Amino acid sequence: MSSFSNFAISFSIICILSGGINSLAQATSGAGGAAIGIGWPLGCLISGVFALSMAQISSAYPTAGGLYHWGSILGNRFTGWLTAWLNLLGLITVLGAINVGTWGFFSGSIAPWFGIAVDTTTSAGFANQIIFVAIITGLQALINHFGIRLTAKLTDMSGYLIFAAAIALTIVCLIGVKSWDISRIWTFTNYSGTPEGDASVWPKMDNIWYVFALGLLLPIYTITGYDASAHTSEETVKASSSVPRGMVSSVWWSSLFGYIMLLAFLLAIPDMNEASKQGWNVFFWTINSITNPVVANILYVAIFISQLLCGLATVTSASRMIYAFSRDGGLPFSKSLASVSPRFRTPSIAIWTAAILSVLFVWGASLVTIAGSSAYTIVVSCTVIFLFLSFTVPIVLGIKAIGTAKWPKMGPWNMGIGTYKLVSVLVVIAMAVIFIIGVQPPNEWALYITIGFLVLTAIIWFAFEKRRFQGPPIGDMIAKRQGDIAAAERAVGEV
């Protein structure tokens, strides 16, 4: 993978045309225009501090294990193992969440062309959702199976497509503006609950600042997944400089283009009060109101393809995490999961394992209801918590380790020890914010699930893994592994 490809895979997973569009209702049916105008840059800043700290570590340790290896090197076997499980759980469930979001976009845009049942409260609509998710996840896994070069070409294309589609959507929205009400950008309005808004998004809440804080999930959910640059380190040229650049630049450009696009969309909304009542349908309602059907349909197709490629890049990231963890014996059936296809040079079993687990998650969680809410929406909230916790563990360990024997040498991407420690303190504060807003109603069960998972993790570690799991290799073991990789590459003519 080239340096651009490494950037593109993170940029594709972030995909402002996926989370930025599919989660719009959290703002328009929440705190109104200010949830976008003020909330988007604030939420991007919260996510961005993680990327800065991770970039510093990735430059010194550019390995396929990424976060898992960092947690082990900067801490110990347990912190590495914990990081791996948090990250792996987050990646598998976020893959399911992305592809369910793609189904939601498909059902509101393209499905009506073919008369496909999309109401998931009916048996036909529910079955169609699961079948759709299974098909596109299988397609994403198949492309990954065929090799990193094919995947890299498609994620490169995805990077350009996201830029182009975001610009086109911005132009369409600006052309469709009926009244240039700039004040929307900083206007707070409480649209939570009914009759002011759609109660399926947020229940009625009296405190506008509380509603605004919940709306931060829009940018925070969107601006994540940039750890993909680290997961593909061993497949990237000049990884020690390409990987940190890929992380930081993917967050920067996604934040900037996403903000411009969403501001244009905000200004184009015909009526904020009516928009709040649309709930999750607000994007289609707005676009269909401001432009002709042909232009709208072209936009829908471009956005749909971008969302498919977002899932493709997530399969890449999740499979590399499974591969790296299994290579060190951290998962059941590790020997098989750590195998590499001799023909395609990809961790094929890890790829299909990631795909199958994500589909099973979508199917199982969609069948379960907890306290009147879908288990799926609650687990997605946990997904964000688990992912950012997996980012936080090695970052916090790095505060103590940087400049010591555990981390004696900085990579070519170096912001300085003092700056790293300052940014890492901001990470701890940001993690607290994410956790607090992630477990609020209607997702309060996310708190119990998160605590339960952490307790279960501790039991498994002390009962089984503490004696068995050795962690990533060090010293002579690393040299042997590098020799094995070089030999495998020579066997297929890659060196």
mmCIF file of all heavy atoms in Angstrom, residues 340-390:
data_model
loop_
_atom_site.group_PDB
_atom_site.id
_atom_site.type_symbol
_atom_site.label_atom_id
_atom_site.label_comp_id
_atom_site.label_asym_id
_atom_site.label_seq_id
_atom_site.Cartn_x
_atom_site.Cartn_y
_atom_site.Cartn_z
ATOM 1 N N VAL A 340 -2.029 -17.301 6.273
ATOM 2 C CA VAL A 340 -2.058 -16.366 5.142
ATOM 3 C C VAL A 340 -2.227 -17.156 3.855
ATOM 4 O O VAL A 340 -1.566 -18.178 3.647
ATOM 5 C CB VAL A 340 -0.754 -15.533 5.073
ATOM 6 C CG1 VAL A 340 -0.739 -14.641 3.844
ATOM 7 C CG2 VAL A 340 -0.601 -14.698 6.336
ATOM 8 N N SER A 341 -3.128 -16.710 3.006
ATOM 9 C CA SER A 341 -3.349 -17.377 1.726
ATOM 10 C C SER A 341 -2.073 -17.333 0.884
ATOM 11 O O SER A 341 -1.569 -16.249 0.591
ATOM 12 C CB SER A 341 -4.481 -16.678 0.960
ATOM 13 O OG SER A 341 -4.507 -17.084 -0.388
ATOM 14 N N PRO A 342 -1.532 -18.491 0.500
ATOM 15 C CA PRO A 342 -0.307 -18.492 -0.312
ATOM 16 C C PRO A 342 -0.491 -17.798 -1.655
ATOM 17 O O PRO A 342 0.445 -17.219 -2.196
ATOM 18 C CB PRO A 342 -0.027 -19.991 -0.506
ATOM 19 C CG PRO A 342 -0.792 -20.689 0.570
ATOM 20 C CD PRO A 342 -2.002 -19.849 0.820
ATOM 21 N N ARG A 343 -1.709 -17.857 -2.193
ATOM 22 C CA ARG A 343 -1.953 -17.276 -3.510
ATOM 23 C C ARG A 343 -2.178 -15.773 -3.458
ATOM 24 O O ARG A 343 -1.616 -15.015 -4.244
ATOM 25 C CB ARG A 343 -3.165 -17.954 -4.154
ATOM 26 C CG ARG A 343 -3.499 -17.407 -5.536
ATOM 27 C CD ARG A 343 -4.683 -18.135 -6.143
ATOM 28 N NE ARG A 343 -5.035 -17.593 -7.444
ATOM 29 C CZ ARG A 343 -6.094 -17.980 -8.155
ATOM 30 N NH1 ARG A 343 -6.890 -18.930 -7.681
ATOM 31 N NH2 ARG A 343 -6.357 -17.428 -9.328
ATOM 32 N N PHE A 344 -3.015 -15.330 -2.505
ATOM 33 C CA PHE A 344 -3.405 -13.917 -2.485
ATOM 34 C C PHE A 344 -2.658 -13.098 -1.441
ATOM 35 O O PHE A 344 -2.795 -11.870 -1.408
ATOM 36 C CB PHE A 344 -4.915 -13.802 -2.244
ATOM 37 C CG PHE A 344 -5.745 -14.434 -3.321
ATOM 38 C CD1 PHE A 344 -6.457 -15.599 -3.078
ATOM 39 C CD2 PHE A 344 -5.794 -13.879 -4.586
ATOM 40 C CE1 PHE A 344 -7.216 -16.189 -4.064
ATOM 41 C CE2 PHE A 344 -6.557 -14.459 -5.587
ATOM 42 C CZ PHE A 344 -7.272 -15.623 -5.335
ATOM 43 N N ARG A 345 -1.874 -13.765 -0.572
ATOM 44 C CA ARG A 345 -1.102 -13.075 0.452
ATOM 45 C C ARG A 345 -1.994 -12.254 1.389
ATOM 46 O O ARG A 345 -1.654 -11.136 1.770
ATOM 47 C CB ARG A 345 -0.008 -12.178 -0.169
ATOM 48 C CG ARG A 345 0.925 -12.876 -1.132
ATOM 49 C CD ARG A 345 1.690 -14.018 -0.476
ATOM 50 N NE ARG A 345 2.452 -13.566 0.685
ATOM 51 C CZ ARG A 345 2.653 -14.318 1.764
ATOM 52 N NH1 ARG A 345 2.135 -15.521 1.847
ATOM 53 N NH2 ARG A 345 3.351 -13.854 2.779
ATOM 54 N N THR A 346 -3.146 -12.786 1.716
ATOM 55 C CA THR A 346 -4.066 -12.125 2.644
ATOM 56 C C THR A 346 -4.449 -13.094 3.758
ATOM 57 O O THR A 346 -4.460 -14.314 3.550
ATOM 58 C CB THR A 346 -5.360 -11.665 1.931
ATOM 59 O OG1 THR A 346 -5.975 -12.809 1.296
ATOM 60 C CG2 THR A 346 -5.072 -10.595 0.906
ATOM 61 N N PRO A 347 -4.789 -12.581 4.946
ATOM 62 C CA PRO A 347 -5.251 -13.446 6.040
ATOM 63 C C PRO A 347 -6.699 -13.863 5.791
ATOM 64 O O PRO A 347 -7.629 -13.370 6.423
ATOM 65 C CB PRO A 347 -5.101 -12.554 7.279
ATOM 66 C CG PRO A 347 -5.275 -11.166 6.757
ATOM 67 C CD PRO A 347 -4.696 -11.172 5.364
ATOM 68 N N SER A 348 -6.893 -14.784 4.871
ATOM 69 C CA SER A 348 -8.225 -15.095 4.346
ATOM 70 C C SER A 348 -9.189 -15.595 5.421
ATOM 71 O O SER A 348 -10.365 -15.189 5.444
ATOM 72 C CB SER A 348 -8.123 -16.118 3.213
ATOM 73 O OG SER A 348 -7.380 -17.251 3.636
ATOM 74 N N ILE A 349 -8.731 -16.481 6.305
ATOM 75 C CA ILE A 349 -9.638 -17.002 7.339
ATOM 76 C C ILE A 349 -10.038 -15.903 8.314
ATOM 77 O O ILE A 349 -11.198 -15.813 8.737
ATOM 78 C CB ILE A 349 -8.975 -18.188 8.074
ATOM 79 C CG1 ILE A 349 -8.734 -19.337 7.090
ATOM 80 C CG2 ILE A 349 -9.842 -18.651 9.245
ATOM 81 C CD1 ILE A 349 -8.060 -20.552 7.696
ATOM 82 N N ALA A 350 -9.096 -15.020 8.648
ATOM 83 C CA ALA A 350 -9.417 -13.886 9.519
ATOM 84 C C ALA A 350 -10.426 -12.960 8.851
ATOM 85 O O ALA A 350 -11.322 -12.410 9.498
ATOM 86 C CB ALA A 350 -8.147 -13.110 9.863
ATOM 87 N N ILE A 351 -10.294 -12.769 7.542
ATOM 88 C CA ILE A 351 -11.222 -11.914 6.792
ATOM 89 C C ILE A 351 -12.642 -12.452 6.879
ATOM 90 O O ILE A 351 -13.594 -11.725 7.210
ATOM 91 C CB ILE A 351 -10.784 -11.807 5.318
ATOM 92 C CG1 ILE A 351 -9.511 -10.957 5.205
ATOM 93 C CG2 ILE A 351 -11.899 -11.222 4.444
ATOM 94 C CD1 ILE A 351 -8.844 -11.019 3.846
ATOM 95 N N TRP A 352 -12.802 -13.755 6.600
ATOM 96 C CA TRP A 352 -14.151 -14.336 6.598
ATOM 97 C C TRP A 352 -14.705 -14.465 8.014
ATOM 98 O O TRP A 352 -15.919 -14.368 8.227
ATOM 99 C CB TRP A 352 -14.138 -15.683 5.885
ATOM 100 C CG TRP A 352 -13.990 -15.506 4.399
ATOM 101 C CD1 TRP A 352 -12.862 -15.665 3.653
ATOM 102 C CD2 TRP A 352 -15.015 -15.052 3.506
ATOM 103 N NE1 TRP A 352 -13.120 -15.352 2.335
ATOM 104 C CE2 TRP A 352 -14.424 -14.974 2.215
ATOM 105 C CE3 TRP A 352 -16.349 -14.711 3.656
ATOM 106 C CZ2 TRP A 352 -15.144 -14.574 1.092
ATOM 107 C CZ3 TRP A 352 -17.064 -14.299 2.538
ATOM 108 C CH2 TRP A 352 -16.466 -14.237 1.270
ATOM 109 N N THR A 353 -13.836 -14.651 8.985
ATOM 110 C CA THR A 353 -14.283 -14.687 10.381
ATOM 111 C C THR A 353 -14.865 -13.344 10.801
ATOM 112 O O THR A 353 -15.935 -13.277 11.423
ATOM 113 C CB THR A 353 -13.118 -15.067 11.311
ATOM 114 O OG1 THR A 353 -12.638 -16.367 10.958
ATOM 115 C CG2 THR A 353 -13.562 -15.068 12.766
ATOM 116 N N ALA A 354 -14.176 -12.257 10.444
ATOM 117 C CA ALA A 354 -14.671 -10.912 10.761
ATOM 118 C C ALA A 354 -16.028 -10.674 10.115
ATOM 119 O O ALA A 354 -16.958 -10.135 10.738
ATOM 120 C CB ALA A 354 -13.665 -9.858 10.302
ATOM 121 N N ALA A 355 -16.162 -11.074 8.852
ATOM 122 C CA ALA A 355 -17.408 -10.861 8.122
ATOM 123 C C ALA A 355 -18.561 -11.649 8.736
ATOM 124 O O ALA A 355 -19.658 -11.113 8.967
ATOM 125 C CB ALA A 355 -17.218 -11.254 6.654
ATOM 126 N N ILE A 356 -18.325 -12.921 9.019
ATOM 127 C CA ILE A 356 -19.384 -13.773 9.567
ATOM 128 C C ILE A 356 -19.815 -13.304 10.955
ATOM 129 O O ILE A 356 -21.012 -13.228 11.259
ATOM 130 C CB ILE A 356 -18.907 -15.243 9.612
ATOM 131 C CG1 ILE A 356 -18.762 -15.786 8.189
ATOM 132 C CG2 ILE A 356 -19.883 -16.102 10.415
ATOM 133 C CD1 ILE A 356 -18.052 -17.123 8.113
ATOM 134 N N LEU A 357 -18.845 -12.953 11.806
ATOM 135 C CA LEU A 357 -19.182 -12.492 13.160
ATOM 136 C C LEU A 357 -20.003 -11.210 13.124
ATOM 137 O O LEU A 357 -20.930 -11.034 13.923
ATOM 138 C CB LEU A 357 -17.909 -12.279 13.976
ATOM 139 C CG LEU A 357 -17.164 -13.541 14.418
ATOM 140 C CD1 LEU A 357 -15.871 -13.168 15.138
ATOM 141 C CD2 LEU A 357 -18.035 -14.407 15.322
ATOM 142 N N SER A 358 -19.681 -10.304 12.199
ATOM 143 C CA SER A 358 -20.427 -9.040 12.135
ATOM 144 C C SER A 358 -21.869 -9.276 11.702
ATOM 145 O O SER A 358 -22.802 -8.644 12.223
ATOM 146 C CB SER A 358 -19.734 -8.051 11.192
ATOM 147 O OG SER A 358 -19.918 -8.412 9.847
ATOM 148 N N VAL A 359 -22.087 -10.201 10.757
ATOM 149 C CA VAL A 359 -23.452 -10.514 10.312
ATOM 150 C C VAL A 359 -24.232 -11.186 11.434
ATOM 151 O O VAL A 359 -25.414 -10.867 11.668
ATOM 152 C CB VAL A 359 -23.420 -11.409 9.058
ATOM 153 C CG1 VAL A 359 -24.842 -11.852 8.691
ATOM 154 C CG2 VAL A 359 -22.795 -10.665 7.877
ATOM 155 N N LEU A 360 -23.591 -12.108 12.144
ATOM 156 C CA LEU A 360 -24.253 -12.759 13.276
ATOM 157 C C LEU A 360 -24.614 -11.752 14.363
ATOM 158 O O LEU A 360 -25.672 -11.852 14.995
ATOM 159 C CB LEU A 360 -23.348 -13.856 13.860
ATOM 160 C CG LEU A 360 -23.150 -15.099 12.994
ATOM 161 C CD1 LEU A 360 -22.149 -16.047 13.639
ATOM 162 C CD2 LEU A 360 -24.480 -15.808 12.735
ATOM 163 N N PHE A 361 -23.734 -10.762 14.571
ATOM 164 C CA PHE A 361 -24.034 -9.711 15.542
ATOM 165 C C PHE A 361 -25.287 -8.944 15.135
ATOM 166 O O PHE A 361 -26.186 -8.713 15.959
ATOM 167 C CB PHE A 361 -22.853 -8.745 15.671
ATOM 168 C CG PHE A 361 -23.238 -7.367 16.114
ATOM 169 C CD1 PHE A 361 -23.732 -7.140 17.386
ATOM 170 C CD2 PHE A 361 -23.143 -6.285 15.241
ATOM 171 C CE1 PHE A 361 -24.123 -5.875 17.799
ATOM 172 C CE2 PHE A 361 -23.525 -5.017 15.637
ATOM 173 C CZ PHE A 361 -24.019 -4.809 16.914
ATOM 174 N N VAL A 362 -25.375 -8.550 13.879
ATOM 175 C CA VAL A 362 -26.532 -7.783 13.400
ATOM 176 C C VAL A 362 -27.806 -8.597 13.564
ATOM 177 O O VAL A 362 -28.829 -8.099 14.055
ATOM 178 C CB VAL A 362 -26.337 -7.381 11.927
ATOM 179 C CG1 VAL A 362 -27.627 -6.788 11.358
ATOM 180 C CG2 VAL A 362 -25.199 -6.373 11.797
ATOM 181 N N TRP A 363 -27.736 -9.859 13.164
ATOM 182 C CA TRP A 363 -28.918 -10.724 13.246
ATOM 183 C C TRP A 363 -29.350 -10.942 14.698
ATOM 184 O O TRP A 363 -30.514 -10.753 15.048
ATOM 185 C CB TRP A 363 -28.617 -12.066 12.575
ATOM 186 C CG TRP A 363 -29.713 -13.074 12.728
ATOM 187 C CD1 TRP A 363 -30.952 -13.036 12.169
ATOM 188 C CD2 TRP A 363 -29.665 -14.269 13.520
ATOM 189 N NE1 TRP A 363 -31.685 -14.145 12.551
ATOM 190 C CE2 TRP A 363 -30.917 -14.924 13.376
ATOM 191 C CE3 TRP A 363 -28.679 -14.867 14.313
ATOM 192 C CZ2 TRP A 363 -31.211 -16.122 14.014
ATOM 193 C CZ3 TRP A 363 -28.967 -16.066 14.947
ATOM 194 C CH2 TRP A 363 -30.221 -16.683 14.799
ATOM 195 N N GLY A 364 -28.404 -11.311 15.549
ATOM 196 C CA GLY A 364 -28.730 -11.601 16.937
ATOM 197 C C GLY A 364 -29.208 -10.385 17.707
ATOM 198 O O GLY A 364 -30.227 -10.435 18.408
ATOM 199 N N ALA A 365 -28.483 -9.265 17.563
ATOM 200 C CA ALA A 365 -28.839 -8.055 18.320
ATOM 201 C C ALA A 365 -30.163 -7.469 17.855
ATOM 202 O O ALA A 365 -30.886 -6.850 18.640
ATOM 203 C CB ALA A 365 -27.724 -7.013 18.194
ATOM 204 N N SER A 366 -30.507 -7.661 16.582
ATOM 205 C CA SER A 366 -31.766 -7.125 16.053
ATOM 206 C C SER A 366 -32.968 -7.889 16.575
ATOM 207 O O SER A 366 -34.089 -7.376 16.568
ATOM 208 C CB SER A 366 -31.755 -7.171 14.521
ATOM 209 O OG SER A 366 -30.721 -6.369 13.996
ATOM 210 N N LEU A 367 -32.748 -9.125 17.026
ATOM 211 C CA LEU A 367 -33.850 -9.943 17.536
ATOM 212 C C LEU A 367 -34.169 -9.654 18.996
ATOM 213 O O LEU A 367 -35.248 -9.989 19.486
ATOM 214 C CB LEU A 367 -33.504 -11.432 17.398
ATOM 215 C CG LEU A 367 -33.475 -12.007 15.977
ATOM 216 C CD1 LEU A 367 -32.945 -13.440 16.020
ATOM 217 C CD2 LEU A 367 -34.855 -11.959 15.343
ATOM 218 N N VAL A 368 -33.208 -9.040 19.699
ATOM 219 C CA VAL A 368 -33.319 -8.877 21.154
ATOM 220 C C VAL A 368 -33.768 -7.458 21.514
ATOM 221 O O VAL A 368 -33.322 -6.480 20.908
ATOM 222 C CB VAL A 368 -31.967 -9.182 21.834
ATOM 223 C CG1 VAL A 368 -32.051 -8.954 23.337
ATOM 224 C CG2 VAL A 368 -31.545 -10.617 21.531
ATOM 225 N N THR A 369 -34.642 -7.364 22.500
ATOM 226 C CA THR A 369 -35.077 -6.068 23.017
ATOM 227 C C THR A 369 -34.698 -5.982 24.494
ATOM 228 O O THR A 369 -34.922 -6.932 25.252
ATOM 229 C CB THR A 369 -36.598 -5.887 22.865
ATOM 230 O OG1 THR A 369 -36.933 -5.953 21.480
ATOM 231 C CG2 THR A 369 -37.053 -4.540 23.426
ATOM 232 N N ILE A 370 -34.104 -4.849 24.885
ATOM 233 C CA ILE A 370 -33.712 -4.631 26.275
ATOM 234 C C ILE A 370 -34.411 -3.373 26.789
ATOM 235 O O ILE A 370 -34.215 -2.289 26.246
ATOM 236 C CB ILE A 370 -32.184 -4.462 26.420
ATOM 237 C CG1 ILE A 370 -31.458 -5.717 25.905
ATOM 238 C CG2 ILE A 370 -31.806 -4.192 27.865
ATOM 239 C CD1 ILE A 370 -29.951 -5.588 25.916
ATOM 240 N N ALA A 371 -35.230 -3.529 27.799
ATOM 241 C CA ALA A 371 -35.948 -2.393 28.413
ATOM 242 C C ALA A 371 -36.705 -1.575 27.365
ATOM 243 O O ALA A 371 -36.746 -0.350 27.422
ATOM 244 C CB ALA A 371 -34.975 -1.511 29.177
ATOM 245 N N GLY A 372 -37.293 -2.265 26.377
ATOM 246 C CA GLY A 372 -38.084 -1.585 25.365
ATOM 247 C C GLY A 372 -37.299 -1.020 24.210
ATOM 248 O O GLY A 372 -37.884 -0.516 23.257
ATOM 249 N N SER A 373 -35.975 -1.081 24.251
ATOM 250 C CA SER A 373 -35.143 -0.572 23.163
ATOM 251 C C SER A 373 -34.445 -1.736 22.467
ATOM 252 O O SER A 373 -34.154 -2.758 23.086
ATOM 253 C CB SER A 373 -34.087 0.409 23.698
ATOM 254 O OG SER A 373 -34.695 1.537 24.277
ATOM 255 N N SER A 374 -34.173 -1.572 21.167
ATOM 256 C CA SER A 374 -33.478 -2.606 20.418
ATOM 257 C C SER A 374 -32.083 -2.806 20.982
ATOM 258 O O SER A 374 -31.357 -1.841 21.229
ATOM 259 C CB SER A 374 -33.386 -2.216 18.939
ATOM 260 O OG SER A 374 -32.487 -3.071 18.265
ATOM 261 N N ALA A 375 -31.710 -4.057 21.180
ATOM 262 C CA ALA A 375 -30.358 -4.349 21.672
ATOM 263 C C ALA A 375 -29.317 -3.852 20.689
ATOM 264 O O ALA A 375 -28.204 -3.489 21.077
ATOM 265 C CB ALA A 375 -30.196 -5.852 21.894
ATOM 266 N N TYR A 376 -29.684 -3.807 19.412
ATOM 267 C CA TYR A 376 -28.735 -3.353 18.388
ATOM 268 C C TYR A 376 -28.291 -1.917 18.653
ATOM 269 O O TYR A 376 -27.098 -1.609 18.651
ATOM 270 C CB TYR A 376 -29.368 -3.451 16.998
ATOM 271 C CG TYR A 376 -28.526 -2.790 15.940
ATOM 272 C CD1 TYR A 376 -27.391 -3.424 15.442
ATOM 273 C CD2 TYR A 376 -28.829 -1.509 15.492
ATOM 274 C CE1 TYR A 376 -26.595 -2.806 14.507
ATOM 275 C CE2 TYR A 376 -28.035 -0.887 14.558
ATOM 276 C CZ TYR A 376 -26.920 -1.535 14.064
ATOM 277 O OH TYR A 376 -26.125 -0.913 13.147
ATOM 278 N N THR A 377 -29.235 -1.005 18.892
ATOM 279 C CA THR A 377 -28.873 0.403 19.102
ATOM 280 C C THR A 377 -28.059 0.570 20.381
ATOM 281 O O THR A 377 -27.171 1.417 20.444
ATOM 282 C CB THR A 377 -30.133 1.289 19.182
ATOM 283 O OG1 THR A 377 -30.961 0.838 20.253
ATOM 284 C CG2 THR A 377 -30.924 1.212 17.899
ATOM 285 N N ILE A 378 -28.342 -0.240 21.388
ATOM 286 C CA ILE A 378 -27.595 -0.163 22.644
ATOM 287 C C ILE A 378 -26.167 -0.645 22.449
ATOM 288 O O ILE A 378 -25.209 -0.026 22.920
ATOM 289 C CB ILE A 378 -28.307 -0.991 23.739
ATOM 290 C CG1 ILE A 378 -29.677 -0.363 24.057
ATOM 291 C CG2 ILE A 378 -27.461 -1.062 25.002
ATOM 292 C CD1 ILE A 378 -30.552 -1.209 24.947
ATOM 293 N N VAL A 379 -26.010 -1.760 21.716
ATOM 294 C CA VAL A 379 -24.677 -2.304 21.494
ATOM 295 C C VAL A 379 -23.839 -1.382 20.617
ATOM 296 O O VAL A 379 -22.625 -1.277 20.786
ATOM 297 C CB VAL A 379 -24.756 -3.726 20.887
ATOM 298 C CG1 VAL A 379 -23.369 -4.248 20.540
ATOM 299 C CG2 VAL A 379 -25.429 -4.687 21.862
ATOM 300 N N VAL A 380 -24.489 -0.690 19.675
ATOM 301 C CA VAL A 380 -23.748 0.277 18.848
ATOM 302 C C VAL A 380 -23.163 1.377 19.728
ATOM 303 O O VAL A 380 -22.045 1.844 19.512
ATOM 304 C CB VAL A 380 -24.652 0.870 17.751
ATOM 305 C CG1 VAL A 380 -23.997 2.090 17.108
ATOM 306 C CG2 VAL A 380 -24.932 -0.176 16.682
ATOM 307 N N SER A 381 -23.925 1.791 20.745
ATOM 308 C CA SER A 381 -23.396 2.771 21.689
ATOM 309 C C SER A 381 -22.194 2.195 22.429
ATOM 310 O O SER A 381 -21.190 2.877 22.644
ATOM 311 C CB SER A 381 -24.494 3.177 22.685
ATOM 312 O OG SER A 381 -24.041 4.194 23.543
ATOM 313 N N CYS A 382 -22.280 0.902 22.800
ATOM 314 C CA CYS A 382 -21.142 0.242 23.441
ATOM 315 C C CYS A 382 -19.949 0.173 22.497
ATOM 316 O O CYS A 382 -18.792 0.270 22.924
ATOM 317 C CB CYS A 382 -21.523 -1.177 23.860
ATOM 318 S SG CYS A 382 -22.749 -1.263 25.166
ATOM 319 N N THR A 383 -20.232 0.009 21.209
ATOM 320 C CA THR A 383 -19.174 -0.072 20.204
ATOM 321 C C THR A 383 -18.269 1.145 20.257
ATOM 322 O O THR A 383 -17.035 1.044 20.241
ATOM 323 C CB THR A 383 -19.791 -0.177 18.793
ATOM 324 O OG1 THR A 383 -20.434 -1.435 18.667
ATOM 325 C CG2 THR A 383 -18.735 -0.059 17.719
ATOM 326 N N VAL A 384 -18.883 2.316 20.300
ATOM 327 C CA VAL A 384 -18.112 3.558 20.358
ATOM 328 C C VAL A 384 -17.266 3.589 21.631
ATOM 329 O O VAL A 384 -16.087 3.956 21.598
ATOM 330 C CB VAL A 384 -19.051 4.782 20.297
ATOM 331 C CG1 VAL A 384 -18.266 6.075 20.425
ATOM 332 C CG2 VAL A 384 -19.847 4.777 18.999
ATOM 333 N N ILE A 385 -17.855 3.170 22.741
ATOM 334 C CA ILE A 385 -17.123 3.149 24.013
ATOM 335 C C ILE A 385 -15.945 2.187 23.942
ATOM 336 O O ILE A 385 -14.817 2.522 24.325
ATOM 337 C CB ILE A 385 -18.065 2.774 25.167
ATOM 338 C CG1 ILE A 385 -19.127 3.864 25.371
ATOM 339 C CG2 ILE A 385 -17.284 2.547 26.459
ATOM 340 C CD1 ILE A 385 -20.226 3.491 26.352
ATOM 341 N N PHE A 386 -16.179 0.971 23.451
ATOM 342 C CA PHE A 386 -15.113 -0.029 23.369
ATOM 343 C C PHE A 386 -13.981 0.429 22.460
ATOM 344 O O PHE A 386 -12.801 0.259 22.781
ATOM 345 C CB PHE A 386 -15.675 -1.362 22.867
ATOM 346 C CG PHE A 386 -16.576 -2.057 23.846
ATOM 347 C CD1 PHE A 386 -17.678 -2.778 23.410
ATOM 348 C CD2 PHE A 386 -16.331 -1.986 25.211
ATOM 349 C CE1 PHE A 386 -18.512 -3.416 24.310
ATOM 350 C CE2 PHE A 386 -17.158 -2.619 26.122
ATOM 351 C CZ PHE A 386 -18.260 -3.336 25.669
ATOM 352 N N LEU A 387 -14.335 1.004 21.301
ATOM 353 C CA LEU A 387 -13.301 1.453 20.366
ATOM 354 C C LEU A 387 -12.417 2.524 20.999
ATOM 355 O O LEU A 387 -11.186 2.438 20.951
ATOM 356 C CB LEU A 387 -13.939 2.004 19.084
ATOM 357 C CG LEU A 387 -14.243 0.994 17.977
ATOM 358 C CD1 LEU A 387 -14.917 1.702 16.800
ATOM 359 C CD2 LEU A 387 -12.986 0.287 17.506
ATOM 360 N N PHE A 388 -13.042 3.526 21.602
ATOM 361 C CA PHE A 388 -12.254 4.614 22.176
ATOM 362 C C PHE A 388 -11.496 4.168 23.435
ATOM 363 O O PHE A 388 -10.422 4.694 23.723
ATOM 364 C CB PHE A 388 -13.133 5.827 22.448
ATOM 365 C CG PHE A 388 -13.393 6.651 21.206
ATOM 366 C CD1 PHE A 388 -14.580 6.522 20.506
ATOM 367 C CD2 PHE A 388 -12.434 7.519 20.722
ATOM 368 C CE1 PHE A 388 -14.814 7.258 19.347
ATOM 369 C CE2 PHE A 388 -12.652 8.265 19.571
ATOM 370 C CZ PHE A 388 -13.847 8.130 18.880
ATOM 371 N N LEU A 389 -12.053 3.207 24.179
ATOM 372 C CA LEU A 389 -11.289 2.649 25.300
ATOM 373 C C LEU A 389 -10.036 1.935 24.798
ATOM 374 O O LEU A 389 -8.967 2.030 25.409
ATOM 375 C CB LEU A 389 -12.159 1.665 26.090
ATOM 376 C CG LEU A 389 -13.081 2.245 27.163
ATOM 377 C CD1 LEU A 389 -13.949 1.157 27.768
ATOM 378 C CD2 LEU A 389 -12.285 2.952 28.262
ATOM 379 N N SER A 390 -10.159 1.227 23.665
ATOM 380 C CA SER A 390 -8.990 0.536 23.102
ATOM 381 C C SER A 390 -7.951 1.534 22.618
ATOM 382 O O SER A 390 -6.757 1.234 22.607
ATOM 383 C CB SER A 390 -9.414 -0.397 21.965
ATOM 384 O OG SER A 390 -9.765 0.304 20.787
#
